[in-house]
Amino acid sequence: MKVLDTEFVRGFIQLGDDGWKQGWHERNGGNLSCRIRPEEIGEVKDQLTPGEWLDIGTSVPKLGGEYFLVTGTGRYFQNVARKPEESFGIVELDGAGEKYRICWGLTNGGRPTSELPSHLMNHEVKLVASGGRHRVIYHCHPVNTIALTFVLPLKDEVFTRELWEMMTECPVVFPEGVGVVDWMVPGGRDIAVATSELMKKYNVAIWAHHGMFCSGADFDETFGLMHTVEKAAEILVKVLSMGQGKRQTIEPGDFRELAKDFKVELDEKFLYER
């Protein structure tokens, strides 16, 4: 089977194109990666042409020998569906999890996203935290979520509570809450470490004045999580823009009742009294 005909590559392209159509990927903004299952890589192994080993810039030993789909640095999400072999590629990690090599795609001198260290460090964290279930890491620049990082305190408790109050479904979709990273230079080890610490507890990390970072088991789950958080952020931006404050909202007791009916656990730190 050709690489572009596989289900996992088609899903990767679909998520990338959906994110572009949402307006979350100006120019070359954002990146996407997926840890490929052994049986999936087995479908295309005869088409892989491994290149030279290159340093990752961090160490992810638990991911040694794994293969990943990853978007390219400087490449545009608007081209993921139109120019797939140029826009993303398959990379293999060495046994120590310290080097990678391009095995397919990223043509015309392409390289993986500059935020590859962040992706891989978080894949390693989610591999452990989810028992191997999570395979997708997605980063984009959703307008409303970014806007909130200028007006809300950059605290997990505040962002989680405010987003939960915007739609009844939110505490069901992300019951663990969301984490927030203070502004940091993107693409380096520091922001990768800070994000991976949050990902031990959450599936969403919001990067102040930059964007959002989500983890999920598959493409639909990950995109759906990103979409839900951004929609809640859009509602909150509109509420704040009305300038009258909230006349009524979902209260802590309501969240507790919701948790019982939907069988989710909500941390009491998010249910503080105002």
Side-chain angles (χ1 to χ4, degrees):
M1 182 181 293
K2 293 183 179 180
V3 172
L4 292 176
D5 291 334
T6 60
E7 185 176 351
F8 70 95
V9 171
R10 291 201 307 269
F12 189 92
I13 292 171
Q14 182 70 59
L15 191 157
D17 196 47
D18 287 345
W20 159 250
K21 289 173 180 174
Q22 289 293 325
W24 297 344
H25 297 282
E26 75 294 335
R27 202 170 179 272
N28 63 319
N31 27 75
L32 172 65
S33 66
C34 172
R35 182 165 56 88
I36 305 171
R37 293 183 176 89
E39 61 271 22
E40 292 172 330
I41 202 67
E43 296 176 356
V44 298
K45 208 152 190 178
D46 62 336
Q47 298 173 61
L48 304 185
T49 54
E52 63 176 318
W53 289 108
L54 302 168
D55 289 331
I56 294 170
T58 190
S59 178
V60 285
K62 292 184 177 64
L63 299 178
E66 296 271 10
Y67 289 83
F68 292 84
L69 274 171
V70 60
T71 50
T73 185
R75 301 300 163 94
Y76 293 21
F77 265 68
Q78 71 186 79
N79 292 328
V80 166
R82 294 188 297 173
K83 302 177 182 178
E85 293 185 54
E86 185 176 307
S87 302
F88 63 89
I90 295 174
V91 302
E92 177 189 10
L93 304 195
D94 70 352
E98 295 179 352
K99 296 180 182 294
Y100 75 90
R101 59 183 177 181
I102 299 170
C103 297
W104 177 91
L106 291 172
T107 58
N108 296 326
R111 287 286 183 267
T113 169
S114 61
E115 288 171 346
L116 183 64
S118 291
H119 277 256
L120 293 178
M121 289 178 70
N122 284 281
H123 272 292
E124 187 176 53
V125 166
K126 300 310 287 188
L127 175 69
V128 175
S130 73
R133 197 175 75 87
H134 278 215
R135 292 183 172 272
V136 180
I137 296 285
Y138 181 33
H139 166 57
C140 66
H141 303 160
V143 172
N144 295 286
T145 302
I146 295 171
L148 290 178
T149 67
F150 290 91
V151 298
L152 293 183
L154 299 177
K155 296 181 178 179
D156 302 359
E157 292 84 353
V158 174
F159 263 81
T160 296
R161 177 66 173 274
E162 291 292 340
L163 292 170
W164 277 1
E165 288 186 14
M166 293 304 101
M167 292 194 299
T168 299
E169 293 80 6
C170 285
V172 178
V173 175
F174 50 100
E176 66 285 335
V178 303
V180 184
V181 178
D182 290 346
W183 186 87
M184 303 177 77
V185 175
R189 180 173 171 78
D190 288 345
I191 195 169
V193 171
T195 306
S196 63
E197 283 300 311
L198 289 178
M199 283 289 176
K200 293 176 182 177
K201 301 180 288 185
Y202 309 118
N203 295 323
V204 177
I206 294 170
W207 288 352
H209 324 319
H210 182 164
M212 194 169 8
F213 207 78
C214 285
S215 171
D218 55 36
F219 299 118
D220 287 345
E221 181 179 295
T222 310
F223 183 85
L225 177 58
M226 184 79 72
H227 201 189
T228 303
V229 174
E230 172 60 5
K231 185 173 183 179
E234 181 180 1
I235 296 169
L236 181 54
V237 167
K238 291 181 178 180
V239 170
L240 295 174
S241 299
M242 293 175 185
Q244 300 179 16
K246 301 172 192 170
R247 182 170 302 218
Q248 55 273 323
T249 189
I250 306 171
E251 301 291 349
D254 300 326
F255 284 121
R256 294 184 184 102
E257 289 300 314
L258 185 72
K260 289 179 184 176
D261 284 357
F262 281 85
K263 296 179 175 55
V264 294
E265 294 185 16
L266 305 180
D267 195 321
E268 282 291 320
K269 73 179 180 181
F270 301 129
L271 303 181
Y272 51 84
E273 296 294 337
R274 298 186 191 279

